[in-house]
Amino acid sequence: MSQLTVEPGAVPSGEEPPDTGERHRLTAVTGLAALSLDAMASVAYGPEAIVLVLAAAGAHGLGFTLPVTLAIAALLAVLVASYRQVIAAFPDGGGSYAVARTHLGARTSLVAAASLVLDYVLNVAVAVTAGVAALTSAFPALYDDRLWLCLAVLVLITAVNLRGIVESARAFIVPTVVFVGSIFVLIVVGLFRSAPASTATAAGHASVVADNATTVGALLLLKAFASGCSALTGVEAIANAVPSFRVPRARRAQRAEVALGAVLGAMLVGLSVLISRFHLQPVAGVTVLAQLADASLGHNWAFYVIQFATMILLALSANTSFGGLPVLLKLLARDNSAPHVFALKADRQVHRHGVLALAAVSAALLVFSGGDTNTLVPLFAIGVFVGFTIAQVGMVRHWRLERTSGWRGKALLNGFGAVLTGVSTVVVTASKFTAGAWLIVVALPLLVAAFVAVHRAYARIGQRLGLGRIPDVPHRERSVVIVPVSSLSRLTSEALSAASSLGDEVRAVTVCHPDPEDRAQLHALERAWAEWNPGVPLVRLACERRSLGRPIAAYVREVAATEPATQVTVLIPETEPERLWQRLLQNQRGAVVAHAVRRETDAEICRLRFRLF
């Protein structure tokens, strides 16, 4: 289908038009703050996930904490290098979805998209519940109100993101800096201590280390590695949201990705070194990070600063999803695999519908879980591992097709990463299947099926509309405009005036019921109509039943049958009240007529809004 686009104020060829939206986009620093909170906050539960698994092998098993963390840090380096290449190759964003769509086919790309959607939604729910859990741990009296607190935090984050991604980034820079700075202070101070400064936090809590286990098998190490990989969630967010950065977009996004990898890797390795240095053992009811803060800084004000910074950043790490998911939904909408409304942008470069959809689904998950983190954690991270694996495999194919300088080494790096993340996906799914991971196994194909159904629906619509083909030359037909009326008013006059401008012939119709009161009203209307004499005939539609829309729809069908070469339009006059609440005072006659005509005829419907203010 040919398309003509008129652009007022176009600039001469070769010149860059001014982009007034650039100030609402991200720099490398604000991008790191807006899109890396998920990954940064994961140090609060990533090392703990490793320790809890290794504790099953006793104190001997805890000695493998640092080697497992180093393996995760190596995988992090592989992922950062890979996503840096993804950013350069796919500057329109989309991450694993864009890679898969180009190199692995549409169906695989939908699997990647579905995995990312699930991960983004679960990230919001887990982040909010974890943050509130930290708050209720400090103030136990709030525990019974944790669901309402979760919803309140979600509303706050949604409101900030509706103001624009730059505003959200600026709002989260300070908490991010405080958290990262606190963690590095904890690490540096701890490295200069030969013994824990305090163990008050863990005192009185039962140890969860097994007493009778001495051997560490490959399966246990693999499970610890897979559990610790939860710290890698969020690494892909920057690659998914490249269009949100200022120009040069790809370069700024690459810088943010490298900075994220460097900071996250240093924190993970540093915390693991301290775990081994202090021979820390996990205990019930106290987080590993809290024990490390206690051991490194002592049980003082610095300890509480880290706890509150962790609480705030965990809650705000949901912002990663609000930065990445709307862009992903935009790409899906562009490819006709999601409703086109997700491609629309509001002011301040906000994909408002994507933000609101994410908030709504996340709120449903919070209600489902009752604000409990442990209900949601087993579902977390599986989706992102699927996306990691697909992206790595797609990049291997990318290098084989491009064959640029050094492509073999890059392909080998991506292939190695695909093996690692693929194995992690299988291990995490198998180990957490009965704990709730089965929901992801079921939800993933259902979401892919939904994307496919939407794509097919748009394909059918496009075929009916003749998209991509030159349509017939427009021609003029005789037109009749039918205007439903029930009384004489200024609204009636405005409606007939508008109808006269739209069609060759205008007919006013009114529905008559057999009740004496209705017949009296009809006779009064006919007398007033004759006295008014607007030059438009008033057609009486008799109906034995108390129906309004059906007799009008039947008359429209009759006109269409007797005058087949005539375009029939139904113009429905309605009032628009001055106050929103006054809509409750309206009788909704217009909506009833419009519904009946739309359902039973092919006539065009025009709803005339007459403002009362």
Side-chain angles (χ1 to χ4, degrees):
M1 181 178 66
S2 60
Q3 187 175 13
L4 176 64
T5 303
V6 179
E7 298 181 2
V11 299
S13 176
E15 295 185 15
E16 279 289 331
D19 189 355
T20 57
E22 283 298 299
R23 64 190 182 91
H24 295 300
R25 297 183 188 272
L26 299 171
T27 64
V29 174
T30 55
L32 191 64
L35 301 173
S36 69
L37 294 181
D38 178 15
M40 296 293 186
S42 66
V43 301
Y45 50 80
E48 183 165 2
I50 299 172
V51 170
L52 288 175
V53 173
L54 294 177
H60 181 61
L62 292 175
F64 288 86
T65 300
L66 183 56
V68 171
T69 304
L70 289 174
I72 293 173
L75 177 57
L76 172 63
V78 172
L79 290 174
V80 169
S82 175
Y83 275 106
R84 191 174 182 275
Q85 299 301 322
V86 170
I87 291 169
F90 300 91
D92 290 335
S96 59
Y97 170 71
V99 175
R101 181 163 182 81
T102 302
H103 297 298
L104 301 177
R107 190 60 60 92
T108 305
S109 71
L110 293 181
V111 175
S115 68
L116 286 173
V117 169
L118 292 174
D119 181 65
Y120 278 138
V121 172
L122 285 167
N123 172 57
V124 173
V126 169
V128 171
T129 55
V132 171
L135 177 65
T136 56
S137 297
F139 303 98
L142 299 175
Y143 182 79
D144 292 337
D145 298 320
R146 62 190 184 279
L147 175 58
W148 294 108
L149 291 172
C150 287
L151 294 175
V153 171
L154 178 61
V155 169
L156 175 63
I157 298 173
T158 303
V160 172
N161 278 275
L162 286 175
R163 289 187 56 80
I165 191 168
V166 169
E167 279 70 14
S168 68
R170 290 170 179 164
F172 300 149
I173 283 179
V174 173
T176 304
V177 170
V178 171
F179 176 80
V180 173
S182 300
I183 295 298
F184 277 115
V185 168
L186 182 156
I187 293 171
V188 171
V189 173
L191 291 175
F192 285 94
R193 292 190 183 277
S194 58
S198 171
T199 57
T201 303
H205 293 268
S207 174
V208 298
V209 178
D211 296 326
N212 55 356
T214 57
T215 60
V216 179
L219 184 60
L220 183 68
L221 291 176
L222 197 59
K223 187 176 180 181
F225 172 81
S227 296
C229 281
S230 60
L232 303 181
T233 57
V235 173
E236 80 293 346
I238 292 175
N240 292 338
V242 178
S244 298
F245 285 82
R246 294 180 185 176
V247 292
R249 310 196 198 288
R251 190 177 305 170
R252 291 182 187 274
Q254 285 178 324
R255 291 173 183 169
E257 186 74 46
V258 172
L260 168 61
V263 173
L264 178 58
M267 289 194 295
L268 288 174
V269 174
L271 293 176
S272 295
V273 169
L274 293 186
I275 291 173
S276 300
R277 187 181 185 87
F278 295 140
H279 304 290
L280 186 146
Q281 296 186 359
V283 298
V286 178
T287 65
V288 169
L289 186 60
Q291 291 188 66
L292 286 175
D294 202 22
S296 179
L297 303 174
H299 201 75
N300 49 33
W301 62 269
F303 168 82
Y304 287 102
V305 167
I306 289 182
Q307 291 304 104
F308 278 101
T310 303
M311 173 194 70
I312 293 172
L313 202 75
L314 276 169
L316 298 183
S317 64
N319 196 67
T320 299
S321 296
F322 283 97
L325 182 59
V327 176
L328 176 62
L329 289 176
K330 180 201 74 171
L331 296 177
L332 285 167
R334 186 192 62 187
D335 295 334
N336 294 331
S337 295
H340 287 173
V341 69
F342 290 120
L344 300 179
K345 272 188 178 181
D347 295 336
R348 300 172 182 267
Q349 302 296 322
V350 178
H351 295 285
R352 181 173 296 166
H353 295 89
V355 170
L356 292 176
L358 175 58
V361 177
S362 301
L365 271 178
L366 291 174
V367 173
F368 165 76
S369 66
D372 181 27
T373 307
N374 294 327
T375 304
L376 298 169
V377 167
L379 313 180
F380 196 38
I382 297 175
V384 76
F385 285 140
V386 173
F388 282 161
T389 305
I390 291 175
Q392 302 275 354
V393 172
M395 288 305 293
V396 171
R397 183 170 176 80
H398 172 78
W399 297 126
R400 292 185 63 184
L401 294 174
E402 293 289 328
R403 294 182 178 271
T404 54
S405 176
W407 71 270
R408 286 186 175 86
K410 295 175 181 177
L412 182 63
L413 182 68
N414 291 134
F416 179 63
V419 172
L420 290 180
T421 54
V423 170
S424 299
T425 303
V426 174
V427 172
V428 173
T429 304
S431 62
K432 297 182 178 181
F433 187 83
T434 57
W438 63 270
L439 286 173
I440 301 300
V441 176
V442 172
L444 192 63
L446 288 179
L447 196 53
V448 172
F451 290 151
V452 172
V454 171
H455 187 81
R456 288 175 178 171
Y458 276 125
R460 288 193 297 268
I461 294 171
Q463 185 177 11
R464 294 290 299 273
L465 291 176
L467 296 179
R469 300 192 302 269
I470 297 177
D472 296 335
V473 176
H475 61 281
R476 190 180 188 282
E477 293 181 342
R478 180 179 179 276
S479 59
V480 172
V481 182
I482 297 172
V483 182
V485 299
S486 59
S487 62
L488 287 187
S489 65
R490 185 179 171 187
L491 177 62
T492 309
S493 176
E494 293 285 345
L496 295 181
S497 298
S500 299
S501 303
L502 292 175
D504 299 314
E505 181 182 354
V506 179
R507 303 176 190 175
V509 297
T510 185
V511 178
C512 174
H513 300 112
D515 296 350
E517 182 179 353
D518 291 331
R519 296 183 67 86
Q521 291 179 354
L522 172 64
H523 293 323
L525 174 60
E526 289 177 331
R527 288 194 300 269
W529 196 273
E531 182 179 350
W532 182 34
N533 191 20
V536 175
L538 178 64
V539 180
R540 177 195 299 186
L541 303 179
C543 181
E544 296 296 326
R545 302 176 61 182
R546 300 292 301 183
S547 177
L548 179 64
R550 289 183 179 177
I552 295 177
Y555 179 72
V556 170
R557 290 198 305 270
E558 178 184 341
V559 172
T562 56
E563 305 177 47
T566 300
Q567 172 66 51
V568 181
T569 301
V570 179
L571 187 145
I572 303 172
E574 297 175 296
T575 58
E576 184 174 342
E578 183 177 3
R579 299 284 185 267
L580 182 63
W581 68 268
Q582 292 174 344
R583 294 181 185 273
L584 300 174
L585 307 179
Q586 296 178 301
N587 55 26
Q588 306 301 323
R589 292 169 60 94
V592 171
V593 172
H595 175 72
V597 173
R598 183 181 298 109
R599 184 182 59 185
E600 300 180 19
T601 75
D602 294 328
E604 300 293 335
I605 299 175
C606 177
R607 302 182 73 167
L608 174 68
R609 301 283 186 177
F610 180 71
R611 295 188 175 186
L612 298 179
F613 52 94

